[in-house]
Amino acid sequence: RISTEVARIAQAFSMRVIGYDPYVDQKSYGNPDIEFVDLKNLFSSSDYISIHAPLNNDTKHLINREAISQMKEGVNIICAARGGIIDEIALMDNIESGRIAGVALDVFETEPPTNSKLIEHNNVIVTPHIGAQTVEAQIRASVDISEEVIAALTREELRWRIV
């Protein structure tokens, strides 16, 4: 849902939006204005890369030296997903070399962040990862939990089941 909203906002600014998601059926995605591409094409074509992915074995250090070497010179990277998706050492090296123009982060491999060189760099924007701490998010979480408990008690299908 987050990536869909980011895409909608980007399109409002007349940005061309491309995406990569190995788990989404592109035909049923529902937004014909988003072109799905492979990662190499996404890296080489993007001026801005906004990451919206869980941290797992497939995404650990997804943004690493090899991936960065495929990116356009002067790319901007935004990650408010999960720490560990970006190799912070490779990121810092490429910020310092100028290959990466700017970065916005609210997640880090180590929380709280310990790489002061990264968080203090002039081309890096750092914010706390507290999106779930709004009044609206807390109300939504409460409603979701309540609905899930009711579904479990009435033996209905669970939306958030962990297998």
Side-chain angles (χ1 to χ4, degrees):
R1 291 189 313 221
I2 296 170
S3 60
T4 301
E5 187 65 15
V6 170
R8 186 187 67 74
I9 293 167
Q11 289 167 333
F13 286 97
S14 299
M15 295 174 82
R16 175 178 166 245
V17 176
I18 60 176
Y20 169 79
D21 190 329
Y23 305 108
V24 169
D25 175 14
Q26 298 156 17
K27 291 182 174 91
S28 65
Y29 182 67
N31 188 335
D33 296 327
I34 297 175
E35 174 189 354
F36 281 85
V37 298
D38 61 28
L39 267 180
K40 187 174 182 180
N41 190 339
L42 185 133
F43 291 152
S44 66
S45 301
S46 299
D47 295 310
Y48 291 85
I49 297 174
S50 184
I51 302 163
H52 309 278
L55 178 63
N56 57 38
N57 291 335
D58 295 330
T59 62
K60 173 82 172 163
H61 286 181
L62 177 69
I63 306 300
N64 56 27
R65 287 187 194 285
E66 181 182 350
I68 293 169
S69 73
Q70 297 171 19
M71 293 178 190
K72 290 172 80 170
E73 183 98 13
V75 67
N76 292 277
I77 299 173
I78 303 160
C79 184
R82 292 291 179 255
I85 293 175
I86 297 177
D87 175 345
E88 292 178 6
I89 295 170
L91 181 72
M92 188 65 219
D93 290 347
N94 283 277
I95 294 169
E96 288 184 327
S97 75
R99 180 163 193 78
I100 297 175
V103 177
L105 302 169
D106 78 344
V107 290
F108 303 90
E109 281 195 78
T110 303
E111 300 276 352
T114 57
N115 186 343
S116 63
K117 192 174 176 186
L118 176 65
I119 63 177
E120 293 173 4
H121 196 282
N122 286 337
N123 293 10
V124 178
I125 297 171
V126 178
T127 62
H129 186 77
I130 58 168
Q133 301 307 313
T134 65
V135 170
E136 295 84 0
Q138 292 298 304
I139 291 170
R140 172 106 189 226
S142 299
V143 169
D144 283 348
I145 291 167
S146 301
E147 288 174 350
E148 199 71 351
V149 168
I150 291 168
L153 293 173
T154 59
R155 300 192 186 280
E156 294 176 25
E157 186 174 340
L158 302 178
R159 293 186 311 163
W160 311 113
R161 183 179 66 207
I162 298 173
V163 248

